[in-house]
Amino acid sequence: MFNIISYLFFLTISSYITIDVGRRCYNAGKTYLEYLLNDKNLCLTINRILLGCYYLINLGYIAISLSTWNKVNTMEEILVVTSIKIGYITLILCVLHFMNIFTLYFLRKNLIIK
């Protein structure tokens, strides 16, 4: 019973994070990519690819997290396990986001120099 409750908490919170952060990054990324690349069509394509990858990574992590879930016996364990799983997904996505930003920045820097 506690596992089902923790699954529902995790799915609700991770779904909200996935959708909200994906939408925000997609909208803010348009301006950033246009500044870096000066080509609206290429920017739109890259932004859509990044959003698709973002959703795939999230769905994969959620599926793996649910398949490796330990048995939860108390309400305290629900909060602990769910917090840890949400924390992992947040940190992973933060690292990936900054890697994308720095990669695009360095690509632009190298394209302008050459």
Side-chain angles (χ1 to χ4, degrees):
M1 176 66 180
F2 287 116
N3 270 21
I4 293 172
I5 294 170
S6 61
Y7 292 161
L8 292 175
F9 278 149
F10 176 71
L11 289 172
T12 303
I13 294 168
S14 62
S15 297
Y16 175 77
I17 289 172
T18 299
I19 293 167
D20 188 53
V21 172
R23 188 179 322 123
R24 289 175 191 248
C25 288
Y26 180 79
N27 291 331
K30 291 177 192 175
T31 306
Y32 182 72
L33 287 172
E34 286 177 8
Y35 168 75
L36 289 177
L37 302 175
N38 298 320
D39 182 358
K40 286 193 177 206
N41 290 331
L42 180 62
C43 294
L44 185 60
T45 301
I46 290 173
N47 207 19
R48 286 179 180 162
I49 290 170
L50 288 174
L51 183 64
C53 292
Y54 168 80
Y55 285 135
L56 289 173
I57 288 170
N58 273 307
L59 290 173
Y61 176 79
I62 290 168
I64 290 170
S65 290
L66 289 176
S67 69
T68 61
W69 210 282
N70 294 329
K71 184 158 177 57
V72 177
N73 297 315
T74 65
M75 286 299 285
E76 182 181 345
E77 287 179 6
I78 289 175
L79 294 175
V80 171
V81 170
T82 306
S83 299
I84 290 171
K85 300 283 186 178
I86 295 293
Y88 283 145
I89 196 168
T90 306
L91 289 173
I92 289 168
L93 293 174
C94 181
V95 168
L96 290 173
H97 176 68
F98 282 111
M99 284 174 40
N100 286 336
I101 288 175
F102 290 129
T103 301
L104 291 169
Y105 173 77
F106 288 121
L107 282 175
R108 179 179 188 263
K109 188 175 176 183
N110 289 337
L111 291 174
I112 290 176
I113 293 173
K114 292 181 180 179

